[in-house]
Amino acid sequence: MTESPAQHEPPIYRRIADSLRSQILSGELRDGDRLPGENALMSEYGIARATARQALAVLINEGLAVPRRGSGVYVRLFRPIRRHGSRRLSREQWGQGRAIWDSDTRGRAYTVDEVHIERLASTEDVGRVLDSDEVWVRRRRYSVDGRPVQLAASHFPADLVEGTAITLPDTGPGGVYARLGDLGYSPVHFTEEVRARMPAPNESELLRLPAGNPILIVARTAYTSGGIPVELNEMTMDAAAYVLQYDFDA
Amino acid sequence: MTESPAQHEPPIYRRIADSLRSQILSGELRDGDRLPGENALMSEYGIARATARQALAVLINEGLAVPRRGSGVYVRLFRPIRRHGSRRLSREQWGQGRAIWDSDTRGRAYTVDEVHIERLASTEDVGRVLDSDEVWVRRRRYSVDGRPVQLAASHFPADLVEGTAITLPDTGPGGVYARLGDLGYSPVHFTEEVRARMPAPNESELLRLPAGNPILIVARTAYTSGGIPVELNEMTMDAAAYVLQYDFDA
DNA sequence: CGGGGCAAGTTCTCTGGAGACGCTAACTCC
DNA sequence: GGAGTTAGCGTCTCCAGAGAACTTGCCCCG
């Protein structure tokens, strides 16, 4: 009946993970730095390889580190993208949000990498929401400091926007919502939906994430005041990033 | 120079995980069902225990399964909480969203478990946003089918709402935003921010989640049209759940 | 019939070892 | 000096085994 002196002490791998995490969050290890590898942890703590891997897996799973086969495990810390103060975008400025973000994120480069626009047959989900068999799809990829962090796919009912500037890569001043206003679909009301932690779809390749990496999906539907759906926007982002989603004035 | 016949075939543990996942998503295995355990996978596929564990870890990491020590690994599938059709809430109805959700989620019980209201000194973050040293905090826990899925903490500047119905557990018809309107802070404009996949804070205990379980945080600030911040709302939810976040008419 | 204790079953933690695969940098050769 | 090659390093996958911790159901006893 020897009382175990260390009751419910955290397991070894967790103590190591806690130690590494505190080094990351305290700033001792910075974004991009290389963590001690499996071999280093093995010799430092006198543990087996599997235990060292388990410790690193905790941080990788939390999104604080990224393993690179053949190279090492690296710190991956997103600083929050956050607008300071109380400046907000009017709905009309929504389409220009990028420019304002650029000037307001303290020098961090938040940019659009790629734009694709095409006309497609609706998928079942999109067709049900937009009540249309064909849609124009506008895909964009956003990057922060050169790292892709977000994909956006905007779907418009094809018959509603056919032949308008929405079907062009550059929508002009005021962006998409100004063009929708030109078509008489203004003001626009939004609904929002957050789907967290989807099993990773193929799209994650575009974010340069490994298959199976958890992602976050935010869907937004825009309606006219008459209740006609005019846009279905799906934003797919790395679930480990902190992202300022939007910020507008109604 | 023997050409490997199976180039880049997925590893064993991933093939097993894919098989189990498809059984879950196809409905063959349902929420609460028990998955084949480590021993079952070992004998079925002729693999080592570590490999079987790795396969199950994939599903656990994706949030599709939950291990219960001494018992087994169980399917944990949240059906989407989704309002059908195009019915939306007006801003005035926002405070009554719960009642409307209740009647509109096809019999799923989306309920408020607990409510706590107290007056506190502001934390640094809250104080900066609300520009107030003291705040009234209103905490609520939401459950779906008896499982806690979401925490909400609404912060109000103490000097603005002192003595009003907002400081009571039941805010009455129209909810918090009707009370803010009574105080002359109407209409209200929102900003939204999504912070994904935080390292789990202590709060996760209230969601009955293990420490380190990924959670999702959505923050919303409400401003008057004059730019005065009147509410900071932080929603903490299980990152594995699919949650309809909100749905309102501007 | 209720309660306590036991045993089987299951996950959790950890050890030790091995080959495969990918990245990087040093080296060699032109 | 530049280009191609190679060796070392580090992660990835998988094996075999063992004790600890926990849950559950069953049996026995009162």
Side-chain angles (χ1 to χ4, degrees):
Chain A
M1 308 306 169
T2 61
E3 286 274 2
S4 172
Q7 286 183 351
H8 294 300
E9 201 169 292
I12 298 174
Y13 78 90
R14 189 162 289 280
R15 287 204 300 268
I16 297 175
D18 290 345
S19 165
L20 292 174
R21 190 192 305 105
S22 67
Q23 290 180 54
I24 293 173
L25 296 181
S26 73
E28 196 172 336
L29 287 168
R30 289 193 286 184
D31 186 56
D33 284 356
R34 190 173 174 284
L35 288 174
E38 297 175 3
N39 293 320
L41 293 177
M42 285 169 70
S43 58
E44 181 179 355
Y45 292 93
I47 56 176
R49 158 159 276 108
T51 306
R53 281 187 61 74
Q54 212 171 354
L56 293 170
V58 170
L59 299 176
I60 293 167
N61 184 245
E62 288 173 353
L64 289 174
V66 173
R68 287 216 290 271
R69 192 185 189 136
S71 174
V73 179
Y74 296 85
V75 176
R76 174 170 173 274
L77 192 56
F78 282 85
R79 288 167 294 166
I81 305 167
R82 188 190 286 273
R83 296 187 60 249
H84 50 80
S86 61
R87 260 177 70 197
R88 281 160 289 148
L89 308 186
S90 71
R91 182 169 289 145
E92 288 70 31
Q93 290 174 304
W94 172 260
Q96 300 174 314
R98 182 170 69 82
I100 295 178
W101 276 4
D102 278 351
S103 64
D104 215 346
T105 47
R106 310 190 190 191
R108 307 196 63 200
Y110 190 97
T111 58
V112 175
D113 277 333
E114 295 187 12
V115 178
H116 287 292
I117 297 184
E118 55 183 338
R119 198 179 199 275
L120 292 173
S122 299
T123 62
E124 188 184 343
D125 281 344
V126 171
R128 186 170 51 238
V129 172
L130 294 184
D131 193 24
S132 177
D133 294 334
E134 300 239 332
V135 290
W136 279 93
V137 183
R138 171 195 178 88
R139 299 181 197 280
R140 282 180 288 191
R141 189 175 75 177
Y142 296 84
S143 293
V144 171
D145 294 343
R147 277 191 298 199
V149 293
Q150 184 177 340
L151 305 174
S154 296
H155 304 77
F156 303 94
D159 51 339
L160 281 183
V161 303
E162 204 78 70
T164 72
I166 289 177
T167 63
L168 300 176
D170 187 354
T171 51
V176 167
Y177 295 102
R179 294 292 82 70
L180 287 174
D182 296 344
L183 295 171
Y185 300 114
S186 178
V188 173
H189 308 308
F190 296 104
T191 65
E192 291 275 351
E193 181 182 357
V194 178
R195 304 177 212 164
R197 225 178 178 221
M198 301 283 289
N202 299 335
E203 286 169 339
S204 60
E205 295 171 11
L206 295 176
L207 291 176
R208 292 182 207 150
L209 296 173
N213 195 87
I215 58 171
L216 177 71
I217 294 183
V218 177
R220 187 185 68 213
T221 311
Y223 293 87
T224 68
S225 48
I228 302 173
V230 291
E231 186 204 8
L232 173 57
N233 191 11
E234 278 209 349
M235 286 159 287
T236 304
M237 62 197 88
D238 182 347
Y242 297 5
V243 179
L244 172 65
Q245 191 49 42
Y246 63 133
D247 190 7
F248 67 89
D249 199 58
Chain B
M1 311 303 171
T2 60
E3 286 275 2
S4 172
Q7 289 182 349
H8 295 299
E9 202 169 288
I12 299 175
Y13 78 93
R14 189 162 290 279
R15 287 205 299 269
I16 297 175
D18 290 344
S19 165
L20 292 173
R21 188 191 305 106
S22 67
Q23 290 180 54
I24 293 173
L25 296 180
S26 73
E28 195 172 335
L29 286 169
R30 289 192 287 185
D31 186 57
D33 284 356
R34 190 173 174 284
L35 288 174
E38 298 174 4
N39 293 320
L41 293 177
M42 284 169 69
S43 57
E44 181 179 355
Y45 292 94
I47 57 176
R49 160 160 273 106
T51 306
R53 281 186 61 75
Q54 212 171 354
L56 293 171
V58 170
L59 300 175
I60 293 166
N61 184 244
E62 286 174 353
L64 288 173
V66 173
R68 286 216 291 269
R69 191 189 190 131
S71 174
V73 180
Y74 297 84
V75 175
R76 173 170 174 273
L77 190 57
F78 282 85
R79 289 166 293 166
I81 305 167
R82 187 190 285 272
R83 296 188 60 247
H84 50 78
S86 61
R87 261 177 69 196
R88 282 158 289 150
L89 308 186
S90 71
R91 182 169 290 146
E92 288 69 33
Q93 290 175 304
W94 171 260
Q96 300 175 313
R98 182 171 68 83
I100 294 178
W101 276 5
D102 277 350
S103 65
D104 216 346
T105 47
R106 311 191 189 190
R108 306 197 63 200
Y110 189 98
T111 58
V112 175
D113 276 333
E114 294 187 13
V115 178
H116 286 293
I117 296 184
E118 55 183 336
R119 198 179 200 276
L120 291 174
S122 298
T123 63
E124 188 182 345
D125 281 344
V126 171
R128 186 171 49 238
V129 172
L130 293 184
D131 193 25
S132 177
D133 293 334
E134 298 238 333
V135 291
W136 278 94
V137 182
R138 172 196 177 88
R139 300 180 197 279
R140 281 181 288 190
R141 189 176 74 178
Y142 296 83
S143 293
V144 171
D145 294 344
R147 278 190 297 199
V149 293
Q150 184 177 339
L151 305 175
S154 296
H155 304 76
F156 303 93
D159 51 338
L160 281 183
V161 304
E162 202 79 70
T164 72
I166 290 177
T167 63
L168 300 175
D170 188 353
T171 51
V176 167
Y177 295 102
R179 294 292 81 71
L180 287 175
D182 296 344
L183 294 172
Y185 302 114
S186 178
V188 173
H189 308 309
F190 295 104
T191 65
E192 288 277 350
E193 180 182 359
V194 177
R195 304 179 212 161
R197 224 175 178 225
M198 300 284 289
N202 298 336
E203 286 170 337
S204 61
E205 295 172 10
L206 295 175
L207 291 175
R208 293 183 207 151
L209 295 174
N213 196 87
I215 59 170
L216 177 72
I217 295 183
V218 177
R220 186 186 68 213
T221 311
Y223 293 87
T224 68
S225 48
I228 302 172
V230 291
E231 186 203 9
L232 172 58
N233 191 10
E234 278 209 348
M235 286 160 285
T236 304
M237 63 197 86
D238 182 348
Y242 297 5
V243 178
L244 172 66
Q245 193 47 44
Y246 62 139
D247 189 7
F248 67 91
D249 198 58

